Amino acid sequence: MDPTAKDEMQPSLPPGSSCPGPEWPEQERAEQLARGAALKWASGIFYRPEQLARLGQYRSREVQRTRSLEARIKSVVQSYLEGVKTGVWQLAQALEAVQGAREALGQARGLLRGMAKAVQTLEPLREQAVQHKQLQALSQLLPRLRAVPAAVVHAQTLIDAHRLLEAYVSLRELEQLQEETWASLGGLELPVFEGLGPLAEALGQAVEATVGAAGQLAREDPALLVAAVRVAEVEAGRTTSLEQAPRDWRQRCLRALEEGLERVHFGTPLLPGPGALAGWLEALRVALPAELATAEALIAPCCPPHYKVVRLWAHTLHGGLRRCLQQFLEGPELGASDAFTLLHWALHVYLGPEMMGSLELGPEADVSQLEPLLTLENIEQLEATFVSKVRASVVQWLQKALEGEVAEWGREREPDTDPSGFYHSPMPAIVLQILEENIRVTSLVSESLQRRVHGMALSELGAFLRSFNDALIRFSRDHLRGEAVVPHYVSYLLAALNHQSALSSSVSVLQPEGVVSGALAPVEAALDELQRRICRLVLEALLLELQPLFATLPSRRWLSSPELLNNVCERTARFCRNFWRVRNPAFQVLLAETERAVVLQYLCALMQGRLVCRGADERNQAAERMQQDATQLRDLFLDLGLEESAHCAPVLLTLRKLLNLHDPTMLGLEVASLRQQFPDVSEEHVSALLDLRGDVSREQRQAALSSLQDGPQPSPRAGRRALFSLVPAPTPSPSSCLFSGSCA
């Protein structure tokens, strides 16, 4: 480029500018700062007069510096302008090259348009070439294609003859020919190969059916089973160039193994009907271990190791049985026997050494990974069903036992006795046997079922005891009202007391191991209540005979003659003549209650105020009569067999002291002593006894009664029972004299 052109390309500078380019705000601000800094420097240098002499030096120095700066600036600007000139020249060269390329591309576009027209004229020729190539390939394959229909028919014949390996070889040859034809004809499908799809499906179904009968074929024709498995395995490794879905015959074989096994053992026709569950489970107990043994010994060698035949067999049998039981439980509600059988079989037999817990099953069975045969909901359902059914049966059995016992109460003869002479009935043994057998048999299943049945048994036993109690009340009411007079009324009450004793002594058999001891408390309380009820009914019958005799006690006749109490003792002895047929400890309880009732009746009569002693002689007679009566009652009940420690008659001896006291001023001491022995004695009782003496003044009465409050508190005694609190005073009421406290 000549210098003239270069000069023309140089940018022009505006007038008054010291440097090229436009003025920038930053440049103006920099100049202002420079001027300010120069002024500040000059004012600092020339502030003192002696510095003015050196002004010329400073001026020449600044001129030189300014020239140097201008030279450097010119050099930088010149360099910058040269770079700009070079860039402009390069851009001009690039523009020329782009224009040349545009012209070349236009020429190429024209050539391509001409070639496209030529290609369109060659397209029919290309199609003719492709068709010629296909016809050439088809002519070469034509002999083999003609044989395809016959080969398909032959392969189907092999399938029908169960020659699976040969059929698979034929199928593979036909499919290879199909692939070659497809590749040669450019993806064209020929109608001659339409039969290959159904043929392959038929072979797959044959393989599946063969494997599904593996259990039978392993014994009869293992070669056929091996052939079917080999076909499935070879097919699993096959690849094809055709756009076909893969035939997963291996998975179909595994499914066929599972479905065939379930069909053999758990098919719908094989499900048990009502009442046939036990036989079906017993058949499975024999069949399933045999099936596992067959799988391990015969089927596993016919299959590849990755089939894990033994594990497949164990898990398939378990899954099929589990689904079958679930379906069975969703049907009609089971009976008690079927529910128990299924629970015991599933929880013990199935997992026991005869089946899945057998030592002959190796680790390949992997039974530890099996799900529980019955879910917790299934077990809960079966236990609830069993308990409800057993409860209904137990209620029916107990009701029949009670009805049979009640029917015997109206007989014309006395109750049956055992060899020892005690009244006896099989009812207690039947009741306990029914309940105990149901509790015991559930221990074979599980603790939870045993607890359920144990609770049910105790509940029904309590209900039975209440029904027995109610039956006794009706029996007594009808007899006493005369609606159904029973010749041996008391004897059957005594027999019922023996039943209570038998139940009470044997109820512990209903207590299984591991159950808290307090579970029997409600039943024991019901038994105690039944014992009290029977004792009360017996004593009611006794008091009906004794009340007319006690109506004349005390009296002048009583003071002078023992005839009154002799009659009481005779009737009591006659009434109690069969008490010995009651077993201990109920015998002692009944005698103690009888003696207590007689003493209470005696005290009731004594408190009625029928007699007031006229003097010391009559008081002595009354005291003497009470002593004789106490002795006579003691001897009577000792002869009957009552232990002396249980006697209540000694209270008469204490009252005798109160009557026999000669100095009325000492009555307070006797009253205090009486209270120490009998804390339930009241002021009314003491007042009635003082009335019987007939010689106590008002002051003496007050002093004696005050000793009840002022005297020392009575010391508690273990086993002490109420006596005077059961004696009404001063108004008599014969029926209220009957003891209503504890009979135990």
Side-chain angles (χ1 to χ4, degrees):
M1 186 179 291
D2 60 326
T4 306
K6 289 183 180 180
D7 293 339
E8 291 178 355
M9 293 176 63
Q10 289 181 354
S12 60
L13 298 175
S17 298
S18 60
C19 62
E23 292 187 1
W24 298 331
E26 291 81 0
Q27 180 180 358
E28 182 179 357
R29 185 167 177 269
E31 289 180 356
Q32 292 176 358
L33 291 175
R35 291 178 183 277
L39 291 174
K40 186 177 180 180
W41 175 79
S43 62
I45 291 297
F46 300 108
Y47 179 74
R48 290 178 294 181
E50 60 270 14
Q51 297 290 342
L52 295 176
R54 302 173 61 184
L55 181 60
Q57 297 178 2
Y58 288 126
R59 181 180 291 114
S60 61
R61 186 187 303 170
E62 290 302 321
V63 169
Q64 293 177 358
R65 183 181 297 174
T66 301
R67 290 175 180 173
S68 175
L69 289 173
E70 288 178 351
R72 292 172 61 187
I73 290 172
K74 287 181 179 180
S75 175
V76 170
V77 171
Q78 186 67 31
S79 175
Y80 170 74
L81 291 176
E82 289 178 357
V84 170
K85 291 176 182 179
T86 302
V88 171
W89 178 80
Q90 291 176 349
L91 287 175
Q93 293 295 323
L95 179 60
E96 292 177 1
V98 168
Q99 290 176 350
R102 180 180 298 173
E103 293 176 358
L105 288 174
Q107 295 174 1
R109 186 180 295 111
L111 293 175
L112 287 175
R113 289 175 181 173
M115 291 177 66
K117 294 178 180 180
V119 168
Q120 290 178 357
T121 59
L122 293 176
E123 186 64 29
L125 182 61
R126 180 184 292 110
E127 293 178 357
Q128 292 294 327
V130 171
Q131 291 178 1
H132 176 74
K133 185 177 180 181
Q134 291 177 349
L135 289 174
Q136 184 181 7
L138 190 60
S139 63
Q140 294 176 356
L141 295 173
L142 188 59
R144 297 171 62 186
L145 293 176
R146 288 177 178 175
V148 168
V152 171
V153 173
H154 178 65
Q156 184 63 49
T157 304
L158 294 176
I159 293 174
D160 296 339
H162 300 294
R163 297 163 62 181
L164 302 181
L165 283 175
E166 298 178 34
Y168 183 70
V169 171
S170 298
L171 176 64
R172 289 296 300 125
E173 290 176 351
L174 291 172
E175 289 180 339
Q176 289 175 0
L177 177 59
Q178 182 184 21
E179 292 177 5
E180 292 177 9
T181 304
W182 184 83
S184 300
L185 299 181
L188 180 64
E189 293 285 350
L190 297 180
V192 72
F193 293 110
E194 291 179 352
L196 293 188
L199 179 65
E201 182 60 26
L203 180 58
Q205 292 178 357
V207 169
E208 187 175 357
T210 302
V211 174
Q216 179 182 358
L217 292 177
R219 299 182 183 91
E220 299 175 357
D221 191 1
L224 179 58
L225 176 61
V226 172
V229 174
R230 286 185 62 187
V231 168
E233 287 300 302
V234 173
E235 178 63 22
R238 181 181 68 88
T239 58
T240 178
S241 59
L242 299 178
E243 298 178 356
Q244 296 177 348
R247 298 192 290 259
D248 198 355
W249 286 359
R250 176 188 292 170
Q251 292 300 320
R252 290 179 65 177
C253 285
L254 293 175
R255 286 195 299 270
L257 287 173
E258 296 176 357
E259 293 172 358
L261 191 57
E262 290 188 7
R263 185 170 55 252
V264 169
H265 296 285
F266 309 114
T268 302
L270 301 176
L271 291 179
L277 179 62
W280 183 68
L281 293 177
E282 177 61 21
L284 289 179
R285 185 190 66 81
V286 177
L288 297 190
E291 193 69 53
L292 289 174
T294 300
E296 185 174 7
L298 301 178
I299 301 176
C302 298
C303 301
H306 61 265
Y307 274 42
K308 299 180 179 179
V309 171
V310 178
R311 183 183 185 278
L312 177 67
W313 242 241
H315 285 247
T316 301
L317 290 174
H318 179 80
L321 177 59
R322 194 169 187 267
R323 286 189 294 273
C324 185
L325 292 181
Q326 294 293 332
Q327 179 182 355
F328 190 70
L329 291 176
E330 292 172 359
E333 188 177 37
L334 301 181
S337 177
D338 285 346
F340 177 84
T341 300
L342 181 53
L343 279 171
H344 180 262
W345 193 89
L347 298 179
H348 297 280
V349 176
Y350 183 72
L351 298 177
E354 297 182 356
M355 296 190 70
M356 290 305 182
S358 174
L359 297 177
E360 297 179 0
L361 280 178
E364 60 273 10
D366 197 18
V367 295
S368 61
Q369 301 299 320
L370 297 177
E371 293 180 325
L373 192 60
L374 295 177
T375 64
L376 295 178
E377 292 77 10
N378 296 147
I379 295 174
E380 175 71 20
Q381 175 188 351
L382 288 172
E383 288 185 355
T385 299
F386 177 77
V387 172
S388 65
K389 298 294 184 181
V390 170
R391 182 189 295 274
S393 299
V394 166
V395 169
Q396 184 178 2
W397 293 334
L398 295 182
Q399 183 63 30
K400 288 183 178 179
L402 180 59
E403 292 174 355
E405 182 66 22
V406 172
E408 294 184 356
W409 291 349
R411 295 189 304 180
E412 295 293 334
R413 57 186 179 88
E414 289 191 351
D416 297 333
T417 58
D418 61 10
S420 301
F422 298 110
Y423 288 138
H424 172 74
S425 170
M427 184 195 70
I430 292 174
V431 170
L432 292 177
Q433 182 181 4
I434 290 172
L435 300 178
E436 191 271 335
E437 285 182 355
N438 281 287
I439 294 174
R440 176 176 50 80
V441 75
T442 54
S443 63
L444 302 175
V445 177
S446 64
E447 292 184 2
S448 62
L449 181 60
Q450 188 179 37
R451 286 194 298 271
R452 282 172 173 258
V453 176
H454 178 254
M456 179 275 297
L458 295 185
S459 174
E460 294 306 322
L461 179 57
F464 171 79
L465 293 176
R466 290 189 292 273
S467 299
F468 191 37
N469 198 345
D470 296 340
L472 286 172
I473 293 175
R474 291 191 299 271
F475 173 62
S476 175
R477 180 190 60 202
D478 295 343
H479 173 74
L480 296 179
R481 290 179 179 178
E483 298 177 2
V485 179
V486 181
H488 302 284
Y489 169 72
V490 176
S491 297
Y492 279 102
L493 290 179
L494 299 179
L497 194 58
N498 269 348
H499 303 342
Q500 183 275 340
S501 298
L503 290 172
S504 182
S505 61
S506 303
V507 72
S508 59
V509 301
L510 303 181
Q511 184 80 357
E513 296 181 2
V515 178
V516 294
S517 58
L520 293 177
V523 174
E524 292 172 348
L527 287 169
D528 292 343
E529 176 62 27
L530 179 61
Q531 185 186 63
R532 288 193 294 270
R533 173 63 61 186
I534 298 173
C535 290
R536 183 175 179 83
L537 295 177
V538 172
L539 297 181
E540 284 180 353
L542 172 62
L543 293 180
L544 284 177
E545 298 186 18
L546 296 184
Q547 282 175 357
L549 299 179
F550 280 108
T552 59
L553 186 150
S555 62
R556 297 284 185 272
R557 179 186 171 192
W558 168 70
L559 289 176
S560 59
S561 173
E563 180 182 358
L564 179 59
L565 198 66
N566 287 341
N567 293 336
V568 170
C569 291
E570 288 176 3
R571 291 199 183 186
T572 303
R574 185 172 59 253
F575 186 88
C576 299
R577 68 181 180 276
N578 287 332
F579 279 17
W580 67 273
R581 296 186 182 276
V582 178
R583 291 182 177 275
N584 273 323
F587 171 69
Q588 287 294 325
V589 172
L590 183 59
L591 276 182
E593 294 304 322
T594 303
E595 191 259 358
R596 185 179 182 80
V598 172
V599 172
L600 283 172
Q601 195 70 18
Y602 189 101
L603 292 177
C604 286
L606 201 62
M607 299 293 173
Q608 300 309 309
R610 299 192 186 105
L611 175 67
V612 177
C613 294
R614 299 172 181 173
D617 292 339
E618 286 192 356
R619 285 193 294 276
N620 291 335
Q621 288 180 0
E624 185 65 25
R625 175 55 53 205
M626 291 178 68
Q627 182 176 3
Q628 293 176 5
D629 291 349
T631 302
Q632 194 171 357
L633 290 174
R634 182 180 65 84
D635 294 341
L636 168 65
F637 285 98
L638 283 177
D639 292 341
L640 291 174
L642 179 63
E643 297 177 357
E644 190 169 3
S645 60
H647 284 212
C648 294
V651 67
L652 302 181
L653 300 179
T654 304
L655 299 182
R656 169 190 171 279
K657 295 179 182 180
L658 192 63
L659 289 177
N660 200 31
L661 186 65
H662 296 289
D663 186 1
T665 59
M666 302 297 293
L667 286 173
L669 294 177
E670 290 298 333
V671 170
S673 175
L674 177 64
R675 185 169 184 268
Q676 286 293 324
Q677 297 181 52
F678 303 97
D680 60 337
V681 68
S682 66
E683 292 184 359
E684 290 79 6
H685 297 132
V686 174
S687 182
L689 292 173
L690 296 180
D691 289 340
L692 180 60
R693 282 181 59 90
D695 64 340
V696 181
S697 64
R698 179 176 298 178
E699 292 77 9
Q700 292 171 345
R701 181 186 299 272
Q702 287 297 115
L705 294 178
S706 63
S707 64
L708 286 176
Q709 303 297 331
D710 300 338
Q713 294 296 320
S715 59
R717 293 183 185 176
R720 176 184 292 178
R721 298 173 57 197
L723 190 64
F724 279 95
S725 60
L726 304 176
V727 179
T731 55
S733 178
S735 62
S736 66
C737 296
L738 180 60
F739 172 57
S740 60
S742 172
C743 190

